[in-house]
Amino acid sequence: MNRLSVSGYLQPNTRTCVTPYPDSTRPFVSLRIEGHDTEITLFVRPGSADALRTLAAAATEAAAALDTLTADAAEVPRS
């Protein structure tokens, strides 16, 4: 990955779009994540599918952690 730092908040209405570009000489896939003020686009070339799967696994892990935090917050009694 080329060096880049991006910050943005994912909101419930965040959109994603996957677009394949099957060019015969330089094929790639674009993964776009669009929010209100943030847009992130990843370009993935052949041979990088495992990196994309690792990113997907990390996103699934983060979602599970968020679910746990949300459940824990709901169990805290309010005074």
Side-chain angles (χ1 to χ4, degrees):
M1 178 175 196
N2 294 335
R3 233 178 131 77
L4 172 71
S5 295
V6 176
S7 296
Y9 287 97
L10 290 179
Q11 301 295 332
N13 62 346
T14 298
R15 297 170 309 277
T16 59
C17 180
V18 175
T19 307
Y21 292 90
D23 184 280
S24 62
T25 57
R26 298 178 72 170
F28 68 96
V29 171
S30 165
L31 168 58
R32 191 169 59 228
I33 304 162
E34 299 177 34
H36 178 67
D37 292 325
T38 305
E39 181 176 321
I40 300 168
T41 304
L42 300 174
F43 300 105
V44 187
R45 292 188 263 185
S48 301
D50 284 342
L52 198 55
R53 286 185 188 95
T54 299
L55 176 62
T60 299
E61 182 180 345
L66 188 59
D67 288 341
T68 299
L69 291 173
T70 302
D72 290 348
E75 293 175 8
V76 174
R78 299 183 190 261
S79 301

